[in-house]
Amino acid sequence: MRLNSQPYKIVNYYLCLFCTTVGTQMTCPDPGTPPGARRMFGAHAKVTYSCNNRILVGSKERMCMTNGQWTGREPTCYCETNAHYIPSNIKESHSLIETHTKTLYVIFAHLFWHFAFQRHVNMVCFCLEDTRDGRQIRILKNSTLNIYIAMEVSESIDEQYVTNTKQAVRLLIRKISSFSVNPNYDILFYSSVIHKTVDILDGTIDLKTMLDPHCVFCTFLFLESTNGTDLALVFRHFLEQMTHIKSKVGDKTFEEHHHVFIVFTDGGFNKGGDPAPTVAKIKNMVYLSDTPGQQDPSREEHLDIYIFGIGANINHEALMPLTVGRRGRHFFKMQDHNKLKEAFVQMIDESEETSLCGLHRSYVTYDKESSRRVNPWYAYVIVQVKKITFCFGSLVTSNFILTAAHCFRIQDRPEHVTVEINDGKNTVKNFFVHEKFDPGARKEQGVLVFYDYDVALIQLEGHVVIADTVRPICIPCTTETRDALRLDKNSTCKQQEELLLGDDTVHLSFLTRASVNDDTVNEVLVKDVQAKLGNNRPECIKHALEAPNINTDNVTIPVTENFLCTGGQYPTVDHIACTGDSGGAMFKDYDYRTVQVGVVSWGTKELCQSGGLVNSDASSRDFHINLFKVVPFLKRILGNDNQDDFPPLVFLN
């Protein structure tokens, strides 16, 4: 299978989509399901599973209980392989690529439900060592999330695995911190003894301390006693912690807590006995029942135990029974420790936090929706009267698009404007050009087109539906952005500006359409630049005088304090804006949240017309409106609370 003339790499797993699906000897084949029908099972009906030359992880037999639930765990077939390819007999197909890159959960769910409802199932082989099909950690609003993390550091675990595990844990904490929930953490290292680094009962180690590169668990090296491994001790410790929490908050409050266990181990425990009985007690505490199968099924949403098998030799048979979770895989063989950090980012379910500004996926996949998940706020603005004008824009609320004022002409009306977001066309109710934008204001001073205050807001006729591919970007000086940057409640707009644009050189990005020369399936590409601020600004902006249609020796005439300057080849070679990039967001990623700090406006040279990643030359420069300079305009439109058309943003005083 090939993609864009390059091998379609899927490290450490491949999909056996053509494994046999009929029963073995002494069993009946799948009788089939007529169109329009569905298969039903009565109480006490049993289903058995097997895998062809593969390892079955999960329940070999499941029974339909009287409460409508199946016993045991959903099974998965694992391949003992380190394959780095998909077999060549599997032809490239859009559906396979799309299914893979929309996380592997979709594939497994489809195959499982298609083949598994039969009395004996010879399972479709699902060979992987990735994590993208598992149930995710749910980020729930207004709930308490307790996360318990244990990392094995016994002699059987190579130091590199321990180092990468610590980095991944820190990454997970940083990712979760970008949401509105503030989990409680209990973090420890263990072998035959336990070393606690973060105590969930303590409460004195705050988030900032845990995210510090020299945090208490980041710098941990080894335990004095590493002779043997006692995994049962880990679960007993976590059970004791839960018991203390329950005693402290009370039974009713404890019922609303969600508990997530993440354990890194090779499964080679040889001390303390079997941890399974302690895991059963943890389940009973959360499920509010001592009788398996009799608990309220909704209680299962409150507990997940993930096991990450690390090290050279992983005892999956001992570890699999320890996993707990209602849906999806909770056991992962992380033989490639370099995949661990990406796996953690993918584990988090953001579905209930989609309304937060600036949320985005931080990794790129090979499907066409990848660019939308990484940059879910971008929009296309099309203005058509006699000729068509194309611009970029950014979704700043579910009702408004921010773009450049020069995308519009005096004669343009809302009916001439269309906004495309995620292939959906949106009609426009109104648009608002900054009242001080006047392209001809400085003609007599030698500037043919003056771009100061080059910003506009487009109000959509309706509101867009927020999803993982359509989310608003953060803009300066709002309470939402304050929370995204984890600033104090009493912080100011000036503090946001200092945090985001406080250095003399600041890395920023903007988007461009992929050109025919770009080897990608993504619709848009990210351009990287260095904004030259402070002492670096004069050297950058002086090149504005070299632009056509500027006939003055005074650079402050075409370039006011409202502009950010990028381009050139120092300190790095910047990308340059192309025709059509105008109106796009100049943005900065800050700990998994994206904040727009500028709007792409104009440049000194036209080095490209059809998009694509094009480098600046030594003298080419681009100029972008600094949003911190136009906050009053944004506040007047987006913060207007004297209307009922849209929920206003709350701006800082």
Side-chain angles (χ1 to χ4, degrees), residues 213-224:
H214 303 290
C215 64
V216 289
F217 69 84
C218 298
T219 56
F220 179 84
L221 295 177
F222 59 88
L223 289 169
E224 292 183 2

Side-chain angles (χ1 to χ4, degrees), residues 354-411:
T354 51
S355 61
L356 293 180
C357 71
L359 283 180
H360 65 281
R361 181 178 287 182
S362 57
Y363 56 90
V364 177
T365 54
Y366 293 95
D367 61 313
K368 72 173 187 176
E369 288 192 342
S370 174
S371 56
R372 286 228 59 94
R373 292 193 176 97
V374 175
N375 307 289
W377 34 263
Y378 77 86
Y380 297 128
V381 178
I382 302 100
V383 184
Q384 183 173 7
V385 185
K386 292 182 179 179
K387 66 176 184 177
I388 300 178
T389 301
F390 293 97
C391 283
F392 267 95
S394 53
L395 186 72
V396 292
T397 75
S398 59
N399 301 86
F400 279 90
I401 304 297
L402 179 61
T403 189
H406 79 258
C407 298
F408 304 97
R409 292 156 295 186
I410 295 177
Q411 67 269 29

Side-chain angles (χ1 to χ4, degrees), residues 440-646:
R442 297 192 175 179
K443 276 187 179 181
E444 295 182 358
Q445 295 173 273
V447 180
L448 184 62
V449 182
F450 184 47
Y451 289 98
D452 204 14
Y453 298 101
D454 187 14
V455 290
L457 284 164
I458 301 172
Q459 183 179 3
L460 302 177
E461 191 69 53
H463 68 276
V464 298
V465 178
I466 304 301
D468 64 340
T469 55
V470 181
R471 288 173 171 161
I473 196 170
C474 297
I475 59 174
C477 303
T478 66
T479 56
E480 282 191 340
T481 301
R482 175 199 65 196
D483 295 340
L485 299 176
R486 298 197 296 275
L487 293 173
D488 184 81
K489 297 293 183 182
N490 298 319
S491 61
T492 64
C493 181
K494 186 64 176 176
Q495 287 175 286
Q496 291 187 17
E497 185 174 13
E498 290 173 350
L499 181 62
L500 296 170
L501 298 175
D503 297 327
D504 285 355
T505 304
V506 176
H507 177 264
L508 300 175
S509 305
F510 62 99
L511 300 181
T512 189
R513 290 177 184 261
S515 73
V516 294
N517 297 321
D518 294 311
D519 186 18
T520 179
V521 296
N522 290 323
E523 191 175 77
V524 298
L525 300 172
V526 177
K527 290 183 172 179
D528 295 305
V529 294
Q530 299 290 330
K532 286 75 175 176
L533 305 166
N535 295 328
N536 291 333
R537 192 170 187 270
E539 173 63 26
C540 185
I541 67 174
K542 74 177 187 180
H543 293 279
L545 300 179
E546 303 169 17
N549 301 321
I550 291 181
N551 185 22
T552 178
D553 294 330
N554 185 352
V555 73
T556 63
I557 295 177
V559 183
T560 70
E561 290 299 317
N562 293 336
F563 287 102
L564 300 170
C565 182
T566 65
Q569 299 180 338
Y570 182 82
T572 61
V573 177
D574 283 359
H575 286 126
I576 201 72
C578 301
T579 303
D581 293 346
S582 293
M586 179 67 63
F587 61 90
K588 182 181 180 70
D589 287 336
Y590 186 90
D591 282 353
Y592 300 103
R593 301 288 283 274
T594 304
V595 183
Q596 181 173 354
V597 297
V599 173
V600 178
S601 181
W602 64 284
T604 61
K605 293 184 177 181
E606 190 176 291
L607 298 182
C608 50
Q609 294 184 341
S610 58
L613 300 180
V614 179
N615 289 336
S616 173
D617 63 24
S619 62
S620 58
R621 296 293 185 271
D622 288 329
F623 297 92
H624 322 273
I625 294 296
N626 184 343
L627 289 186
F628 284 97
K629 305 297 185 181
V630 294
V631 168
F633 168 73
L634 300 175
K635 183 176 181 180
R636 179 168 59 84
I637 306 298
L638 301 175
N640 181 11
D641 56 3
N642 295 317
Q643 47 74 41
D644 297 321
D645 290 343
F646 58 87

Side-chain angles (χ1 to χ4, degrees), residues 49 56-60 62 73-77 108 112 116 123:
Y49 305 87
L56 174 65
V57 177
S59 299
K60 295 182 179 179
R62 305 182 76 188
R73 291 184 50 82
E74 294 179 2
T76 306
C77 289
F108 178 69
F112 177 79
M123 289 187 60

Side-chain angles (χ1 to χ4, degrees), residues 6-27:
Q6 297 294 327
Y8 192 70
K9 297 179 181 178
I10 303 180
V11 179
N12 282 333
Y13 69 89
Y14 60 88
L15 306 180
C16 305
L17 296 179
F18 298 96
C19 298
T20 306
T21 58
V22 297
T24 58
Q25 291 182 347
M26 304 303 293
T27 61

